[in-house]
């Protein structure tokens, strides 16, 4: 768990504001994610949360298993998550990049990848392929992301929080450098399907949450 981050990323500050003041659409997403994790995380299984941020989803996962690892490439997020779960011996949090995971092949029963795909820009395929590598055979990758109908909801919250938008290209929003991970994208189910297929992952379940998101389960 000691690989250095590949790049700096400081969008956690913005995300923490979203978590503090979620719009109804985000509230619906967060509650759907909690339900989904509760349904899919098996008791005592080993789970890796990629892009764990300050630990929102780790908190949900901990309801089902205490064997939880979180990684994020933002040192501040990792510091916050460590502080939050420091007392639980079986929880580990480390700075690492999604496309270069410091774990052996086939280590985890489940990998979670929640609301990080929109920010990955050129690292999407390499990060999904790394997730697949560390998953055991038959293990699941649970991913949530903005859906192809999310644009208006995304713009609503960017405006509400005065996010520093530099440019909009179609539905891709590019923020200025102050936000670190400065791109946000949205995806159709077909795009998510082919992204998984490139790493031999197939979608075994999916839900659409309002206009804003998909939550999908891939199996290795
Ligand atoms: C929108 S936040 C979501 C945080 C958390 N998963 C949640 O749903 O509350 C995206 C997170 O992904 C992290 N992140 C972005 N690119 C990353 C990368 N290449 N490797 C690891 N973490 C990354 C960011 O630092 C941030 O904490």
């Amino acid at each position: 768990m000691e690989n250095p981050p590949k790049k700096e990323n400081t969008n956690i500050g913005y995300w923490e504001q979203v978590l503090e003041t979620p719009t109804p659409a985000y509230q619906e997403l967060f509650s759907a994610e909690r339900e989904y994790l509760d349904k899919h995380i098996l008791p005592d299984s080993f789970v890796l949360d990629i892009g764990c941020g300050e630990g929102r989803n780790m908190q949900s996962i901990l309801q089902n298993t205490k064997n939880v690892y979180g990684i994020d490439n933002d040192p501040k997020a990792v510091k916050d998550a460590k502080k939050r779960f420091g007392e639980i011996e079986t929880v580990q949090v480390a700075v690492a990049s999604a496309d270069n995971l410091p774990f052996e092949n086939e280590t985890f029963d489940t990998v979670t990848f929640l609301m990080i795909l929109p920010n990955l820009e050129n690292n999407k395929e390499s990060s999904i392929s790394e997730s697949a590598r560390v998953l055991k055979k038959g293990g699941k990758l649970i991913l949530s992301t903005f859906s192809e109908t999310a644009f208006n909801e995304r713009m609503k919250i960017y405006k509400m929080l005065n996010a520093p938008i530099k440019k909009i290209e179609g539905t891709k929003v590019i923020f200025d450098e102050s936000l670190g991970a400065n791109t946000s994208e949205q995806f159709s189910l077909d795009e998510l399907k082919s992204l998984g297929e490139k790493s031999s992952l197939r979608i075994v379940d999916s839900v659409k949450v309002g206009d804003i998101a998909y939550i999908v389960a891939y199996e290795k």
Side-chain angles (χ1 to χ4, degrees), residues 9 11-12 15 51 53 56-57 72-74 98 114-116 120:
N9 175 314
N11 82 338
I12 189 65
W15 184 246
R56 176 178 76 90
N57 301 115
D72 200 290
N73 70 352
D74 181 343
L114 302 165
M115 296 311 287
I116 157 170
L120 289 181

Side-chain angles (χ1 to χ4, degrees), residues 12-27:
I12 189 65
Y14 165 74
W15 184 246
E16 284 174 358
Q17 287 182 62
V18 176
L19 296 181
E20 276 165 26
T21 51
T23 58
Y26 273 87
Q27 284 173 20

Side-chain angles (χ1 to χ4, degrees), residues 12-220:
I12 189 65
Y14 165 74
W15 184 246
E16 284 174 358
Q17 287 182 62
V18 176
L19 296 181
E20 276 165 26
T21 51
T23 58
Y26 273 87
Q27 284 173 20
E28 193 186 346
L29 166 61
F30 296 158
S31 122
E33 285 174 327
R34 280 194 296 273
E35 269 176 39
Y36 208 83
L37 291 173
D38 187 42
K39 188 170 139 197
H40 285 88
I41 304 289
L42 298 176
D44 301 325
S45 56
F46 282 78
V47 181
L48 170 65
D49 187 31
I50 297 184
C52 63
E54 43 69 78
R56 176 178 76 90
N57 301 115
M58 290 175 72
Q59 185 76 58
S60 307
I61 296 163
L62 278 165
Q63 307 308 307
N64 294 19
T65 177
K66 301 288 180 238
N67 306 315
V68 187
Y69 292 69
I71 67 101
D72 200 290
N73 70 352
D74 181 343
K76 172 165 187 314
V78 169
K79 194 171 156 211
D80 291 351
K82 274 190 172 162
K83 200 165 149 196
R84 186 166 177 178
F85 304 116
E87 314 241 300
I88 311 175
E89 266 178 33
T90 51
V91 172
Q92 291 191 45
V93 192
V95 176
S97 190
D99 62 355
N100 184 18
L101 296 172
F103 302 105
E104 302 286 324
N105 295 352
E106 302 187 12
T107 301
F108 296 97
D109 300 295
T110 308
V111 172
T112 54
F113 206 90
L114 302 165
M115 296 311 287
I116 157 170
L117 187 67
N119 301 135
L120 289 181
E121 207 177 5
N122 299 323
N123 297 331
K124 292 188 274 283
E125 283 178 24
S126 52
S127 300
I128 295 290
S129 146
E130 268 295 83
S131 301
R133 180 183 69 73
V134 301
L135 258 185
K136 292 179 188 167
K137 285 210 174 70
K140 298 243 171 65
L141 170 67
I142 296 174
L143 176 148
S144 64
T145 185
F146 293 127
S147 69
E148 74 277 37
T149 51
F151 190 71
N152 291 344
E153 282 298 339
R154 290 166 59 209
M155 291 309 292
K156 207 189 279 177
I157 199 140
Y158 300 152
K159 284 191 181 141
M160 197 176 104
L161 297 177
N162 282 322
I165 294 175
K166 191 160 86 177
K167 211 169 23 164
I168 298 178
E169 290 171 356
T171 57
K172 178 171 170 175
V173 178
I174 300 156
F175 302 99
D176 78 22
E177 287 66 25
S178 64
L179 221 56
N182 56 359
T183 300
S184 173
E185 293 181 90
Q186 59 185 45
F187 302 86
S188 68
L189 199 53
D190 275 349
E191 286 169 322
L192 296 177
K193 186 167 173 258
S194 33
L195 194 55
E197 279 169 357
K198 288 182 185 136
S199 298
S200 303
L201 296 170
R202 68 186 175 95
I203 293 183
V204 289
D205 186 51
S206 66
V207 291
K208 187 152 190 234
V209 186
D211 279 340
I212 196 167
Y214 286 111
I215 311 177
V216 304
Y218 296 92
E219 190 173 284
K220 177 169 171 179

